[in-house]
């Protein structure tokens, strides 16, 4: 089921904004999903309008990959004619949960992702320096 920009008569709309970390380029190929009381809807990165009937929803969001990345959820009360904002941010690190709320949220795991990438880069530089030193000294 694709998001529909027009709300049904006497219905309401979930205005879902989805974001991903700029370095998570693989997520560009795997759009996020929302589950409303168990009914799964495929979204796109950015702005989404999902028409719903008034009521209480168990909203669960994630990014499908090899497993469900960045799972996050919350209950949402929707009133007739309401435009309910929902913000979802996928995590920087695939093993972490996402963030969700009615106001803008930050992608979790930024510190961990930066530390791992800096550590990997430092290790690579160290290997290159040791290799160059070995070649120059003849060892």
């Amino acid at each position: 089921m694709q998001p529909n920009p027009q709300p049904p008569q006497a219905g309401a709309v979930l205005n879902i904004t989805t974001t991903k970390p700029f370095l998570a380029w693989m997520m560009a190929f795997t759009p996020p999903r929302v589950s409303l009381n168990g009914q799964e809807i495929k979204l796109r990165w950015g702005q989404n309008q999902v028409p719903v009937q008034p009521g209480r929803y168990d909203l669960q969001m994630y990014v499908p990959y090899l497993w469900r990345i960045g799972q996050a959820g919350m209950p949402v009360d929707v009133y007739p004619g309401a435009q309910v904002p929902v913000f979802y941010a996928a995590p920087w690190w695939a093993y972490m949960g996402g963030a969700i709320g009615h106001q803008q949220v930050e992608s979790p795991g930024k510190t961990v992702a930066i530390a791992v990438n800096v550590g990997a880069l430092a290790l690579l530089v160290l290997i290159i320096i040791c290799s160059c030193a070995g070649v120059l000294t003849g060892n």
Side-chain angles (χ1 to χ4, degrees), residues 14-129:
L14 292 176
N15 288 319
I16 302 174
T17 303
T18 58
T19 58
K20 60 181 174 35
F22 65 92
L23 291 177
W25 58 271
M26 283 299 292
M27 285 188 193
F29 303 109
T30 56
R33 303 279 197 281
V34 63
S35 172
L36 297 172
N37 293 344
Q39 181 183 1
E40 191 170 288
I41 301 169
K42 183 178 179 181
L43 301 175
R44 61 184 174 270
W45 293 108
Q47 301 290 327
N48 297 271
Q49 290 189 327
V50 180
V52 295
Q53 293 299 320
R56 184 172 185 88
Y57 292 91
D58 175 36
L59 189 142
Q60 299 292 321
M61 297 193 67
Y62 65 95
V63 179
Y65 194 57
L66 299 175
W67 61 91
R68 291 181 174 203
I69 296 173
Q71 288 187 327
M74 69 180 192
V76 177
D77 290 316
V78 180
Y79 300 100
Q83 299 249 343
V84 181
V86 176
F87 294 88
Y88 170 77
W92 283 77
W93 195 251
Y95 302 104
M96 299 182 76
I100 193 168
H102 288 296
Q103 297 179 0
Q104 269 192 311
V105 291
E106 293 285 325
S107 294
K110 185 175 185 178
T111 304
V112 172
I114 290 172
V116 168
N117 284 312
V118 166
L121 183 60
L123 182 61
L124 180 63
V125 168
L126 183 63
I127 290 171
I128 291 171
I129 289 172

